[in-house]
Every structure is written in structure tokens, then in C-alpha cells.
Amino acid sequence: MECFDCKKCAACCRQVGATPWGKQLALPDGICRYLNTKTNLCTIYDRRPLFCNIDVYYETFLKDTMDRDYFYAMNKQECLKLQKKIYKKERSLHDGN
């Protein structure tokens, strides 16, 4: 099975509280309670929720209705948006805004 090329930036994990299905996983700051913020790795990776596993989510819900490459491209695009959002937030904190 082909796998999504995750860069392990944890941008999605750092903003999981902004999603309706991720609220139960989030700490008050919106970061996933299972993210090790020092390593950017999931502490429950092998048991992570389905929506956190792009490959299994695709196989379970989308394989008959959407091309895998298109789904991966959509996820990559969202990942880049989340990375920019985090960078902007961190820069604002650094600049004192």
C-alpha cells in the first residue's frame, strides 16, 4: 500500500482542537494531548484515531470515490496551510504582537 509522505512537522497535531472531531483530543491550547512537543511525534501512533491516519482513512472511506494521488495532494495542501498558520502565530509571539 502506498503511504502519505508525512514530514512529521506536527502542524495538524498542534491545531487538532480547531476541528470538530479533534476537540476531545486537544489540550486547552488546541494541541493534541498525545503529541510529544519535544520530538513532534505521536505518543499513541500505532493506536491513533482514524482521522489522524491519512492512509487508513483513505482506504476506509474514499478508495472507491476518489483517486489516492488527489487525496494526498489535498492533504499536502492543507498541511502547508497549517504550517503557515503556525509560523505566523510563532512569529507574532516572537515579535511581541
Side-chain angles (χ1 to χ4, degrees):
M1 178 171 73
E2 191 177 347
C3 294
F4 181 72
D5 185 25
C6 176
K7 302 299 182 193
K8 297 177 179 55
C9 69
C12 54
C13 306
R14 291 180 182 280
Q15 298 175 70
V16 75
T19 64
W21 54 89
K23 287 190 187 300
Q24 76 261 4
L25 299 175
L27 297 169
D29 60 3
I31 296 175
C32 181
R33 70 181 69 252
Y34 299 110
L35 176 66
N36 178 325
T37 57
K38 290 181 178 38
T39 64
N40 267 355
L41 298 176
C42 179
T43 61
I44 60 164
Y45 187 80
D46 292 332
R47 303 180 323 276
R48 68 194 184 276
L50 183 64
F51 67 86
C52 295
N53 189 328
I54 291 171
D55 301 305
V56 174
Y57 187 92
Y58 175 82
E59 287 295 321
T60 303
F61 296 109
L62 302 172
K63 71 178 180 178
D64 295 328
T65 60
M66 182 183 293
D67 177 71
R68 181 185 302 271
D69 290 334
Y70 178 72
F71 180 64
Y72 284 179
M74 285 178 26
N75 277 275
K76 179 66 174 177
Q77 183 177 9
E78 291 305 310
C79 180
L80 293 173
K81 286 181 192 176
L82 291 172
Q83 288 174 5
K84 285 180 185 177
K85 198 173 184 182
I86 286 176
Y87 174 74
K88 187 184 246 184
K89 184 178 179 181
E90 288 175 355
R91 185 172 181 171
S92 176
L93 290 171
H94 181 269
D95 292 345
N97 296 328

